[in-house]
Structures are given as C-alpha cells and as structure tokens.
Amino acid sequence: MACKVVQSLCHVPSSILDHNPSKPPEEAPEHFFANGQQPNKAMPRLDVTEDMPLLDLSQVGSEKMDHGHQVPDHDGLRENEIPCVGMRFEQLQMAHEFYVTYTKKVGFATKIRTTTCAKITNQPINQAIHYNRNGFRVSRVKAEEHDLSRWVQALANESGGPSNLGYSKKDLRNYITAKLRTSNVNVDVREMMNYFMRMKDINPNFFYAVNLDDKCKFRSAVWVDARCRASYEYYGDVVSLDSTYNTNKHGLPFASFVGVNHHGKSTILGCALFGNEEISSYEWVFRQWVKCMGTAPQRIITDQCKSIFRAIKNVLPDTRHQWCIWHITKKLPHKLGGYRRYRELYDEFNDIVWNSRTEQSFEDNWYEFIDEHNLHNNTWLSDLFDDRRMWVPIFFKGEFWTAMRSTQRSESMHSFYGNFLHSRTSLVQFVHEYDNVLGIKEQRELEDDAADSRGVIPCATTSPMERQFQQEYTICMFRDVQIEFVKKANCRVSVVAEEGPVVCMKVEEEKLVNDSILCVPYDIHFDRSTQEVRCECNLFESSRVLCCHCLEVFHSYKVYKVPNRYVLLRWSKNTKRKHTYVKSSHNVSRSDESHVAFKGLCAHFYNIAQDFVNDDEETALLHAALEETRAKLTAHRVKKRYETVADSHNNNGSTSSNVAAVMDIQAPSKVRAGQRVRGSALPWRSHLKNLLGGKTSMTPR
C-alpha cells in the first residue's frame, strides 16, 4: 500500500505531551528504536489508539520554545534524506525505515506513537512517528487513498458518458466495501478452523465438528475440550443447554453444555455455534455432541424453544427434558407488568409454582389464580399451563436435577460469559475467549480441590453424622448439608402408624414467615431394618442432600452413622477423578512432555549424524532419508486435517462428495432479526466485477 508524509517534523514540548492521556511519556521505551536499531517486527504495531492532536508550525514557534528545541541541523544530509511533506513510499514499513535512518544520522531515537487502521480491512492507514531529543517531535505518514472519482470518470469515458454507466460513485464505494468485508469475514471463519486444528495437534482428545453447506459456507460448529470430555463421565448425568446468548458479530446463536461438578458449581461440557435456530441445526449439534461424549445425558434442561424440544425428541428420545424455569420467570415483568396489581400477581405466581405440594394442588391453585385476577384471555399464561409438565417443579418431583432448576445457576452463567464475550466478537476471537473461560473454570475447580485438601470447616453441631459428612464431602457441598443440620433443631417428630419395621411419621418444621412462626408438616416413611428413609419434600431425590426432616428421624431412632446410600461419591472429596489429570487444550505452546520429546529427538539425530558425517555418500543418504521422512510426515498431517474436515462435511447431509479445504470455507450469512435476502443482482454489478475480479454475490443485510 502506497503512503505519503502529510506532516513533517514539528516539536511537541513535554508540557504539551503530558496532556495526552492515552499515551504517557513513561510508555516510550517500549517501542523506541535507539541508534538506528531496526524493529523486531516487519510491520508496525497495529493496535488502534486515539491520535494525539498534532501541532502546526505556529505552535512550534510559540514563545514556550527555547533554542534547544529547534529542528536539528541537516548539514551533511542530502535533500532526499530529509523528511518533508509530500514524500511517497511504496509501503508503510519503508516509510518507518526511512525515519529510523534519518534519526540515526541526526542523533536521536524514534518511536511509532499511534497507528490507525481501516475498520473493514484492519490495514494501517495513518501513523504518527515520534522522535526523542530534548522533547518529542512528531511526523505523520498516511496511506494513499484511491481516487474513486477518477475511477468513475474513467469508466464513464469508456462507456460513452456518465448516463451510460448505470451506477454512481457511491455505488462503487459500497461495492468495494462489501467485497472487502466479505473477504475479511471469510478469513475470520478460516482462522477459527485453524484454531481447532491447532488444538487437536496439542491434544488429540480435543473434539470439533464443523457443518458446511453445499457451497462450503459455514453453518454450525461443535467443539469440546479434552478435559471436558473426561469430566463428562462424572458430571454428565444432568446437563443444561443455554442457547439464548448471542455473542458474536455474525449473530450466530451460541450454546454451552453445562454440568455440575463435585463442588456443586457449574462446569463446562462443550460449546456450539448454530447457523440458525431450526430443528435440523439443533439435531446436528446434538448428534455431534453425543458422538463426542459416547452416551446421551440422563436429563437435560434447555430454554423454552420449540425447535430444541423437537430436536431432543428426535435425537435424544431417552433423555428427560425440562425447560429452564429462570427463562420463564424472567419474562414475568414483560408479560404481566401492565396489570395494575402486578406485584400481587408476581408473588402469587411464584408461590403457586414453587410451593405446590402435589400436582393436583398446583392445578387447583392455578385455576383459582386465573379466576381471581380475570386472566382467562392471557394467552401466555394459558400456554404455560398447557406445557406445565415441562417446567413446573412439582411435575419433576423425586428426580435428580443437581439443583439445576435454580435460577441463580443460569443467571450466573450469563453474567460469567458477559465478562468475556460481546456482540462484536469475531469467530476466532470468540473461540480464544471461550478458551479463557475454560481456563478460568479449570483454575477455580483446582483451587476448590486444593482448599479441600488443606482442611475442613468446623461443624455447626455435635452430631457424629455431621462429622461424617465433614470428612467425606467437599467444603461447598458440606455447607449445604450443614444448613440442614442447623434446621434440624426446628423439627419435631411424631409417629403416625407402624407396620412391621416400617414407621410412618409426621415431621413438623417451624419456619419464620413474615415475622410469624409457621409449622409445616411433612410425611416420612422409615424402615428400621434397612434404615431407609423417604421424605415428602424430596430434597435428597432432587439434589442428593439429606433434608433436615430425615436427619431428625435418624436422631430420634439413635442412628449415629448415616447409611452409605446417603453419602454419595458424587460430592466426595476423596475420589480421584480422571479429568483432573487431563490438561485443557489451551492455545499455548507445547507442554513440558512435548519439550522432552523434542530434546530426545534432537539427541537421537545428533548421535546418527555423528556416526555418518565423515563419509560424503553416507551423509547424502542421510539427507535424502530425512527429506523423505519430512515429506511423509507432512502428508500424514495434511491427511489427518482433511479427514477431520471431511468427516464434519459428510455429516451435514450434503450430496456433494468433495472434501472442503480450509481455504474454501466461507463465513456464514449474518443472522439478524427480520433478515431478508435481497433479490437479483443489480445490472451494474456485472460491470464492476471486471474492475476487482472474481464473482459477485449478494450479501444479506
């Protein structure tokens, strides 16, 4: 790209430079090249910063300048060695090298202060170069702009006049901009593919699959880190899929598979980008994810989406499906906020949903709620009631969901991703940031494991059963158990009936509600011979934590050691889990093991070379053997990469038998609300394609 000097040397006194908040003088040493030393990189720094306001010659001659701040003496320099406005260079780097040579001859240092890049191509278009000697001097180099007016005029002359041209200067500018943007987003998706391949090289257990259409355009992608795959064995019983978080500039829906680890905290089990929100798109993702993990989850929680519902029915028929209650309840302000008694409606709605003890009581309370507030015409509430078996907790009574129904879990994951991802994130940036998310999650789990190994937290009671959980459970899960031991003091047991070893009891728990004590009864069945207990509240069945009612029954019958069936390996801190020995495939340099392998290969090569270096014929044979081995290894690597892409391509249902190379993959069409693809190409587009070369295509807006 050609460039020219648009501002020559002018002095910037230190007092003025101090007012530049974006680049303080203390940062200067980072990019200074003293005594004519060449920079390490071929191109200047490309991060975009705000340009410091440049001073004109009137400021140079201000009364604040002394004689030591004058432009340096150029005696002994040729005219073409002195910077001046209007000088032209073929490349920006050549302009910088010219200034480095100049400053070396006049005796001071140079630094690239700021570089401004084009928004679409990310190519540098404007650069400020500073010199340091008794203050800062600045010169600006700017890339030449193509004169579209001259292009349009030349094309008009060729066509016999502007009236025969059929397009304007604005049309030409928009066309060029669209072509550059398309090229840029294609590079984006290809870089993402290269990232996947690099992760696969680092750890062969890294899994990825990419779905392409017949034209090699990106549709969807699934990728799972090696550590996540190993942890699925322990945490894959209950999985949450949240696809409501759009976090990339292409508008592709992003979904993460999330489980619950032995600390009761969220852990990531995979990630997917969807080309659209149709049933076929979700089916493809589910198939690839199950193919990666080997087995389908027992239970899955998703947002309220009909496409996901149908895809799970088709691909995961044996998996219990539940809608995330958080996504439903957070719509209440929007759906019911217009009612005059909204606060009362909100409280009653949540009370019915969360506190109904039986399915029949929920339905009765719902009918009463609708009648009392005259909500018969509210279609949203009517649809919710029709689908009540998909989201109301009472219809999942007695099923283990690892407390995944909790609204805090989904809300915290949204907040967690929000710290890393945003709507302007490119695809390659997205996968890098997701890599950071994995690293932080892994680090936090390791910190929790380390805390468990250092000691325990004190018991809240003198119960030997509490000490048993203290020694077995992780600290986070023991705190949940400890809460139940504290609540046990508010429970009273009374026997209702006995039949052989089985005792039917009623446990009343005193609860503080609105500054008043409320006694809530629970029915419990206890088998004295097997010490098996079951409570109406179903806390153990739903979250695998014994409730205070069962603990009080054990205490009443002098059971001082909890039966093994109620002390689960799921929450144990004493179990060694395979995934803790697996390194995540983070985008870093080779591991220590690879470094050892490299040193071993070097030692092997050295010993061979030492044996055959004295004979020219043997040396030539060794060189030929090495080159042959290099060619075989290169072909093997290429074959592995092509097989991976081919496997992903063949799973998309396409009839094409061609294998897509990375350079052939195109970016997805940007997904927007109310997206509409324009009609046939305008007549002047065929004329413009001859100007830039290549085929033209309409880009959905």
Side-chain angles (χ1 to χ4, degrees):
M1 178 182 292
C3 58
K4 64 180 179 179
V5 178
V6 295
Q7 181 163 354
S8 187
L9 288 174
C10 64
H11 174 71
V12 183
S14 299
S15 59
I16 298 178
L17 184 65
D18 290 341
H19 293 290
N20 180 10
S22 62
K23 293 289 181 182
E26 289 78 10
E27 296 182 6
E30 181 182 0
H31 289 279
F32 264 93
F33 311 116
N35 300 323
Q37 182 180 357
Q38 295 297 319
N40 293 329
K41 297 183 180 180
M43 286 298 294
R45 191 176 61 174
L46 295 181
D47 50 322
V48 181
T49 59
E50 282 192 34
D51 283 336
M52 185 187 75
L54 298 179
L55 307 179
D56 57 27
L57 293 179
S58 62
Q59 291 172 304
V60 176
S62 66
E63 59 183 3
K64 295 183 180 180
M65 269 187 54
D66 56 33
H67 294 290
H69 292 152
Q70 299 299 324
V71 175
D73 186 5
H74 291 154
D75 290 343
L77 296 181
R78 297 191 299 272
E79 183 177 353
N80 61 357
E81 294 178 329
I82 303 173
C84 63
V85 174
M87 295 185 71
R88 296 178 181 271
F89 302 87
E90 291 185 4
Q91 297 178 354
L92 196 62
Q93 178 64 14
M94 296 175 64
H96 179 259
E97 292 173 354
F98 169 83
Y99 277 105
V100 170
T101 302
Y102 165 75
T103 54
K104 177 182 178 180
K105 292 181 178 180
V106 297
F108 52 95
T110 182
K111 171 196 174 183
I112 299 173
R113 186 67 181 182
T114 57
T115 299
T116 304
C117 298
K119 293 182 179 179
I120 299 174
T121 64
N122 202 34
Q123 295 297 317
I125 58 175
N126 194 2
Q127 192 171 86
I129 302 176
H130 284 203
Y131 314 94
N132 183 25
R133 191 181 74 176
N134 298 326
F136 284 84
R137 292 172 174 82
V138 64
S139 182
R140 176 177 290 174
V141 181
K142 187 175 183 180
E144 281 193 307
E145 297 181 356
H146 295 292
D147 192 344
L148 291 182
S149 299
R150 287 188 296 173
W151 284 23
V152 173
Q153 184 62 43
L155 292 169
N157 294 336
E158 181 183 343
S159 304
S163 59
N164 298 327
L165 195 57
Y167 54 88
S168 64
K169 176 182 176 181
K170 181 179 179 181
D171 294 329
L172 179 59
R173 180 183 291 108
N174 291 340
Y175 175 78
I176 295 174
T177 301
K179 292 290 289 183
L180 291 173
R181 183 181 290 113
T182 301
S183 174
N184 199 41
V185 296
N186 286 341
V187 170
D188 182 30
V189 72
R190 291 164 189 166
E191 282 297 316
M192 182 182 71
M193 289 295 301
N194 289 329
Y195 171 88
F196 289 155
M197 294 177 182
R198 191 162 60 250
M199 294 300 98
K200 188 76 172 178
D201 286 341
I202 293 175
N203 193 324
N205 286 327
F206 180 90
F207 174 89
Y208 73 95
V210 177
N211 190 13
L212 309 175
D213 63 13
D214 294 333
K215 298 179 180 179
C216 277
K217 180 171 284 191
F218 176 90
R219 278 182 175 173
S220 307
V222 178
W223 66 99
V224 185
D225 180 78
R227 196 174 193 272
C228 298
R229 295 183 72 178
S231 66
Y232 182 79
E233 176 183 346
Y234 307 97
Y235 313 135
D237 44 6
V238 183
V239 174
S240 170
L241 176 73
D242 190 348
S243 60
T244 62
Y245 206 66
N246 292 350
T247 55
N248 54 82
K249 68 180 183 181
H250 300 280
L252 300 178
F254 156 64
S256 61
F257 294 92
V258 179
V260 177
N261 66 13
H262 56 300
H263 299 285
K265 297 182 179 180
S266 298
T267 186
I268 299 173
L269 299 174
C271 178
L273 285 171
F274 296 87
N276 53 57
E277 294 185 296
E278 297 177 358
I279 296 175
S280 59
S281 183
Y282 286 109
E283 287 179 341
W284 182 87
V285 167
F286 287 138
R287 287 193 183 97
Q288 296 302 317
W289 187 70
V290 172
K291 175 184 176 182
C292 167
M293 296 304 188
T295 59
Q298 300 173 23
R299 296 174 179 86
I300 189 169
I301 298 178
T302 70
D303 55 287
Q304 188 183 8
C305 174
K306 296 295 185 181
S307 295
I308 296 179
F309 175 81
R310 183 51 55 191
I312 290 177
K313 287 290 185 184
N314 297 339
V315 181
L316 309 173
D318 298 327
T319 299
R320 184 79 159 102
H321 184 198
Q322 181 183 172
W323 285 341
C324 177
I325 197 170
W326 178 69
H327 288 108
I328 293 175
T329 55
K330 77 174 185 176
K331 297 177 183 177
L332 285 172
H334 173 67
K335 299 295 185 179
L336 303 179
Y339 289 91
R340 181 172 55 86
R341 299 167 61 186
Y342 167 70
R343 188 71 253 177
E344 184 180 348
L345 288 172
Y346 182 88
D347 293 338
E348 287 190 30
F349 180 92
N350 281 284
D351 181 62
I352 294 170
V353 169
W354 291 105
N355 298 325
S356 295
R357 303 281 290 273
T358 64
E359 297 178 9
Q360 186 62 47
S361 65
F362 167 79
E363 294 174 356
D364 293 341
N365 292 333
W366 184 277
Y367 290 135
E368 183 179 343
F369 169 72
I370 297 296
D371 291 338
E372 179 183 354
H373 298 283
N374 193 23
L375 299 172
H376 304 87
N377 295 326
N378 190 302
T379 56
W380 181 69
L381 290 175
S382 298
D383 292 340
L384 280 184
F385 183 75
D386 292 340
D387 297 325
R388 59 192 179 279
R389 296 185 179 275
M390 288 297 301
W391 64 278
V392 179
I394 192 60
F395 293 97
F396 300 91
K397 184 177 181 179
E399 300 177 11
F400 177 50
W401 290 92
T402 64
M404 192 72 86
R405 287 194 303 264
S406 171
T407 60
Q408 291 88 347
R409 191 175 301 279
S410 294
E411 193 171 9
S412 64
M413 287 305 295
H414 269 244
S415 176
F416 183 77
Y417 285 127
N419 294 328
F420 296 88
L421 309 172
H422 53 77
S423 60
R424 296 181 301 277
T425 306
S426 66
L427 291 181
V428 66
Q429 183 184 0
F430 178 92
V431 293
H432 279 288
E433 292 296 347
Y434 182 77
D435 195 53
N436 293 333
V437 171
L438 281 179
I440 290 176
K441 282 291 185 182
E442 176 186 349
Q443 181 62 31
R444 290 180 180 177
E445 183 173 322
L446 292 175
E447 290 172 356
D448 289 336
D449 289 340
D452 288 327
S453 65
R454 287 195 297 267
V456 296
I457 60 175
C459 291
T461 69
T462 59
S463 170
M465 291 187 295
E466 184 183 0
R467 287 197 297 273
Q468 184 181 351
F469 284 112
Q470 180 194 48
Q471 298 301 318
E472 292 292 335
Y473 278 14
T474 61
I475 291 176
C476 296
M477 293 309 302
F478 175 62
R479 286 196 174 100
D480 291 344
V481 174
Q482 202 170 52
I483 292 174
E484 298 303 316
F485 274 97
V486 173
K487 290 165 60 178
K488 182 172 72 73
N490 299 324
C491 296
R492 300 293 180 266
V493 179
S494 59
V495 177
V496 176
E498 295 187 30
E499 184 177 345
V502 178
V503 182
C504 298
M505 289 172 288
K506 190 177 292 294
V507 176
E508 289 188 347
E509 180 186 359
E510 296 178 353
K511 296 183 178 181
L512 183 63
V513 180
N514 297 328
D515 297 329
S516 61
I517 300 297
L518 181 65
C519 292
V520 181
Y522 295 92
D523 294 328
I524 295 183
H525 294 79
F526 176 57
D527 190 328
R528 290 174 292 186
S529 61
T530 62
Q531 295 186 339
E532 184 176 353
V533 64
R534 184 177 179 87
C535 180
E536 182 186 6
C537 74
N538 283 284
L539 180 64
F540 179 78
E541 288 75 16
S542 62
S543 62
R544 296 298 191 259
V545 172
L546 270 179
C547 64
C548 57
H549 319 118
C550 293
L551 294 174
E552 180 60 23
V553 169
F554 282 149
H555 177 74
S556 299
Y557 283 87
K558 295 182 171 36
V559 177
Y560 298 122
K561 182 180 179 181
V562 180
N564 291 334
R565 68 171 65 92
Y566 300 115
V567 182
L568 305 181
L569 293 177
R570 184 69 167 75
W571 312 126
S572 175
K573 64 182 176 182
N574 301 319
T575 300
K576 298 299 182 182
R577 296 171 173 85
K578 297 176 184 177
H579 71 277
T580 58
Y581 300 102
V582 180
K583 284 188 176 183
S584 294
S585 304
H586 299 316
N587 190 21
V588 295
S589 58
R590 286 287 184 176
S591 63
D592 294 338
E593 294 176 351
S594 297
H595 182 64
V596 172
F598 177 78
K599 291 174 64 178
L601 286 172
C602 288
H604 193 186
F605 293 155
Y606 177 81
N607 292 332
I608 294 175
Q610 193 175 35
D611 291 339
F612 300 103
V613 72
N614 294 325
D615 186 278
D616 292 341
E617 185 177 353
E618 292 176 346
T619 301
L621 288 173
L622 181 58
H623 276 297
L626 287 174
E627 289 302 320
E628 182 181 358
T629 303
R630 179 203 290 269
K632 289 181 178 179
L633 289 172
T634 302
H636 176 70
R637 174 175 292 180
V638 171
K639 181 181 178 182
K640 283 175 57 179
R641 292 185 174 181
Y642 271 63
E643 285 176 349
T644 304
V645 177
D647 181 60
S648 304
H649 185 67
N650 292 334
N651 285 326
N652 66 6
S654 171
T655 57
S656 174
S657 60
N658 295 330
V659 177
V662 172
M663 293 306 296
D664 297 329
I665 299 176
Q666 301 178 38
S669 301
K670 187 165 184 178
V671 179
R672 293 183 180 179
Q675 174 176 309
R676 176 176 63 88
V677 181
R678 294 188 174 186
S680 59
L682 297 176
W684 50 268
R685 299 184 70 85
S686 59
H687 189 99
L688 286 179
K689 76 175 182 179
N690 297 324
L691 180 65
L692 297 180
K695 297 181 179 179
T696 59
S697 61
M698 295 301 294
T699 303
R701 293 182 175 250

